[in-house]
Amino acid sequence: MENLKKYFFAVDLGATSGRTIIGSLSDGKISLEEVTRFPNNLIEQGGHFYWDIYALYFEMIRGLKEVAQRGLCITSIGIDTWGVDFVCVGDDGAILRTPRAYRDPITFNAMDDYLKSVITRKEVYDITGIQFMNFNSIFQLYAMKREGNSALKNAQKILFVPDALSWMLTGEMVCEYTIASTSQMLDPRTKELDERLLASVGLKRDMFGRMVQPGTQIGTLTEEVQRLTGLGPIPVIAVAGHDTGSAVAAVPAKNEQFAYLSSGTWSLMGIEVKDAIINELSYERNFTNEGGIEGTTRFLKNICGMWLYERCRKEWPEEVRKLSHPELQGSAMQVKAFRSIINPDDAVFANPSSMIEAIQQYCRNTNQYVPESPAEICRCIFDSLALRYKQVFQWIQEFSPFKLDILHIIGGGSLNKYLNQFTANATGVTVLAGPQEGTAIGNIMLQAKAAGNVSDIWEMRAIIANSIQLAKYEPQDKSVWDEAYQQYLNIIDK
């Protein structure tokens, strides 16, 4: 009977939308079902951008009500979100103003100012091993301090977004390790927030909750939440609160000798290692060391991913937008390869007014054929992404303490069969694609581990591999792709 089956409840929040999902384990497999889906609206007011933390709380309650009404037996609850953002809480236990969003313009010059006038870039990297992005928590906090922000001035506690939502459900304040690592205030060697970096923005360690690792029970639903939802004192588990941490936990690898590519709007390529890799070369190449599960480190690099394609698709005429992704991408395969190549991580592609024009201008500036049709532009993007993946993969192999035989592609981009094959061709290693729902699966499997249903990360991964059909891509046309890579290097040098 369904109501005797045990379920895990995952809250999976992205920067544009969120959903609640139930997952269950049986016969060595995991199954998922979406309960609710909702927008996560960025609110612009008074020149600033905010997250509606109360709307997200309401949606969690709505999802929990739904499962209670269905009579499902919920074992636990876990929450994952995007990184870096946080909530200020006053000494009366109330949220002080709606939290700022990482897209807020207050951070635009804060990083450069901080690194020039407070602590040097090299010192910050040597402590944290985190790549520099203007919206990292430390630069947000510096900008708020600089402007005399009233919420920060009166904050008794600071909670990262998944920790804040867990607190709203349980009344317990924690600082989950993987989400804290995105702040650029955590030392991966000590696995604690660094006192010097905290002091540099006027904070102390006791302003954050106790540090917890993924798989730790935070608390149980408060009496208020139990009354609102119709559930009992269900445990809330600290999963990998950073969504990429949960996604990487879901990589269905057989051993440690793999690289991963979390493929979506952004592409995150990296490896899972025991200790952080912080040296001159990782600093120079701007690699990052984020917290992983079971004390591991996610050593990775952010790459501009399907953002290029998504932005172009919005600009194309309606008859092109009506085409399915396979139809449009299939037409690109009829176009001559490597006619136009870009560096996907060039600053001109960060947020141009027209992505199509930015790609065309880049090709003009580098004396290449200028792509005109959607098929030509699409082919340019896919060829270029695969060649950038090769470059980053080679760098990762230089850093890696083990040989990399497999590249696992997870996330929405794992469905893109053309780019997957190109990636295998470019990197020269076997590509295994799937699962698409990596973040939710990782969230649920970490809850299952906390409940004692699985013993460790490798049992988790074996169950995931047993639950999904992986698509396999073997390298082809080595000499063609090696020649194209030299062409790519010459173009980006220009």
Side-chain angles (χ1 to χ4, degrees), residues 167-235:
W167 163 66
M168 293 170 87
L169 292 181
T170 65
E172 298 290 333
M173 294 184 174
V174 300
C175 183
E176 190 276 320
Y177 178 65
T178 69
I179 200 75
S181 74
T182 69
S183 67
Q184 205 158 26
M185 298 188 295
L186 183 137
D187 184 335
R189 303 172 193 85
T190 63
K191 295 186 166 36
E192 257 298 348
L193 295 170
D194 183 79
E195 299 277 5
R196 182 186 174 196
L197 293 176
L198 293 177
S200 74
V201 287
L203 304 178
K204 294 180 179 176
R205 175 62 186 87
D206 63 9
M207 294 179 70
F208 296 80
R210 72 182 190 279
M211 188 69 67
V212 297
Q213 291 291 326
T216 305
Q217 181 172 320
I218 297 169
T220 58
L221 296 181
T222 63
E223 289 183 6
E224 177 186 47
V225 174
Q226 292 178 47
R227 175 175 54 78
L228 289 171
T229 60
L231 293 168
I234 307 294

Side-chain angles (χ1 to χ4, degrees), residues 382-436:
F382 285 12
D383 285 349
S384 303
L385 279 174
L387 293 166
R388 177 62 169 166
Y389 292 162
K390 176 182 175 73
Q391 183 177 38
V392 174
F393 185 85
Q394 287 186 339
W395 287 343
I396 291 170
Q397 182 63 84
E398 287 178 43
F399 289 112
S400 176
F402 40 78
K403 188 173 187 302
L404 301 172
D405 300 319
I406 300 283
L407 176 62
H408 281 272
I409 300 182
I410 55 175
S414 66
L415 299 176
N416 189 328
K417 63 180 183 179
Y418 299 114
L419 185 55
N420 292 345
Q421 184 62 61
F422 285 4
T423 303
N425 296 350
T427 59
V429 297
T430 299
V431 164
L432 294 177
Q436 179 193 355

Side-chain angles (χ1 to χ4, degrees), residues 234-255:
I234 307 294
V236 176
I237 305 298
V239 295
H242 185 214
D243 50 12
T244 310
S246 278
V248 172
V251 172
K254 292 181 178 175
N255 58 48

Side-chain angles (χ1 to χ4, degrees), residues 13-220:
L13 301 176
T16 57
S17 66
R19 58 209 180 123
T20 61
I21 293 161
I22 50 172
S24 61
L25 297 183
S26 61
D27 301 323
K29 292 185 177 182
I30 181 172
S31 59
L32 303 184
E33 181 191 340
E34 189 174 286
V35 181
T36 60
R37 181 177 285 267
F38 47 89
N40 182 15
N41 295 308
L42 198 61
I43 299 165
E44 183 177 5
Q45 195 277 321
H48 292 290
F49 290 92
Y50 301 91
W51 297 116
D52 191 342
I53 194 79
Y54 295 107
L56 296 176
Y57 170 73
F58 171 83
E59 291 293 352
M60 288 196 305
I61 297 295
R62 184 168 73 92
L64 289 168
K65 267 186 186 173
E66 171 73 23
V67 296
Q69 287 165 3
R70 287 169 55 180
L72 302 180
C73 178
I74 301 297
T75 301
S76 61
I77 299 161
I79 303 166
D80 68 76
T81 77
W82 66 97
V84 307
D85 289 339
F86 51 86
V87 171
C88 295
V89 182
D91 58 10
D92 60 352
I95 291 173
L96 300 173
R97 294 183 17 182
T98 309
R100 288 263 179 86
Y102 67 88
R103 292 186 186 275
D104 193 285
I106 193 175
T107 65
F108 286 176
N109 66 356
M111 181 177 81
D112 291 340
D113 190 14
Y114 175 93
L115 297 172
K116 192 187 301 177
S117 60
V118 185
I119 302 180
T120 68
R121 175 181 287 260
K122 186 68 167 59
E123 286 176 298
V124 173
Y125 189 84
D126 285 345
I127 294 169
T128 66
I130 293 291
Q131 72 182 102
F132 291 92
M133 293 194 240
N134 67 287
F135 50 69
N136 288 349
S137 313
I138 190 167
F139 306 125
Q140 290 195 46
L141 287 160
Y142 175 72
M144 290 168 73
K145 181 171 181 272
R146 191 175 59 177
E147 72 169 0
N149 182 277
S150 61
L152 183 61
K153 274 200 284 191
N154 292 284
Q156 185 79 13
K157 292 284 185 184
I158 292 173
L159 300 173
F160 296 105
V161 171
D163 300 332
L165 293 166
S166 296
W167 163 66
M168 293 170 87
L169 292 181
T170 65
E172 298 290 333
M173 294 184 174
V174 300
C175 183
E176 190 276 320
Y177 178 65
T178 69
I179 200 75
S181 74
T182 69
S183 67
Q184 205 158 26
M185 298 188 295
L186 183 137
D187 184 335
R189 303 172 193 85
T190 63
K191 295 186 166 36
E192 257 298 348
L193 295 170
D194 183 79
E195 299 277 5
R196 182 186 174 196
L197 293 176
L198 293 177
S200 74
V201 287
L203 304 178
K204 294 180 179 176
R205 175 62 186 87
D206 63 9
M207 294 179 70
F208 296 80
R210 72 182 190 279
M211 188 69 67
V212 297
Q213 291 291 326
T216 305
Q217 181 172 320
I218 297 169
T220 58

Side-chain angles (χ1 to χ4, degrees), residues 293-487:
I293 69 169
E294 296 185 5
T296 58
T297 294
R298 289 177 288 117
F299 180 75
L300 61 95
K301 187 165 183 64
N302 278 304
I303 303 166
C304 183
M306 294 304 283
W307 164 251
L308 301 159
Y309 172 79
E310 290 162 5
R311 280 290 303 272
C312 289
R313 192 174 169 89
K314 283 184 179 176
E315 293 180 49
W316 283 320
E318 189 179 353
E319 63 267 21
V320 178
R321 294 199 305 271
K322 280 182 176 176
L323 295 174
S324 68
H325 293 297
E327 285 173 327
L328 177 55
Q329 294 165 10
S331 69
M333 298 307 107
Q334 309 307 313
V335 172
K336 186 179 177 184
F338 313 122
R339 207 173 177 191
S340 313
I341 295 173
I342 61 171
N343 175 7
D345 288 325
D346 192 287
V348 300
F349 304 122
N351 194 15
S353 55
S354 167
M355 186 63 77
I356 293 170
E357 287 178 15
I359 289 171
Q360 291 172 332
Q361 190 57 50
Y362 185 100
C363 292
R364 285 189 201 98
N365 293 347
T366 49
N367 301 315
Q368 299 183 79
Y369 174 79
V370 178
E372 295 291 344
S373 71
E376 288 177 332
I377 292 168
C378 183
R379 183 64 190 245
C380 166
I381 290 169
F382 285 12
D383 285 349
S384 303
L385 279 174
L387 293 166
R388 177 62 169 166
Y389 292 162
K390 176 182 175 73
Q391 183 177 38
V392 174
F393 185 85
Q394 287 186 339
W395 287 343
I396 291 170
Q397 182 63 84
E398 287 178 43
F399 289 112
S400 176
F402 40 78
K403 188 173 187 302
L404 301 172
D405 300 319
I406 300 283
L407 176 62
H408 281 272
I409 300 182
I410 55 175
S414 66
L415 299 176
N416 189 328
K417 63 180 183 179
Y418 299 114
L419 185 55
N420 292 345
Q421 184 62 61
F422 285 4
T423 303
N425 296 350
T427 59
V429 297
T430 299
V431 164
L432 294 177
Q436 179 193 355
E437 302 284 2
T439 305
I441 290 174
N443 179 322
I444 286 160
M445 290 303 298
L446 285 163
Q447 293 184 59
K449 181 173 181 269
N453 292 74
V454 294
S455 58
D456 62 14
I457 190 171
W458 296 111
E459 187 180 356
M460 282 169 47
R461 286 173 167 162
I463 290 169
I464 294 164
N466 192 37
S467 306
I468 60 171
Q469 187 67 46
L470 293 176
K472 188 175 185 178
Y473 300 85
E474 295 290 1
Q476 299 171 0
D477 306 322
K478 182 179 186 301
S479 60
V480 173
W481 280 87
D482 286 348
E483 187 180 329
Y485 185 59
Q486 286 308 310
Q487 184 183 339

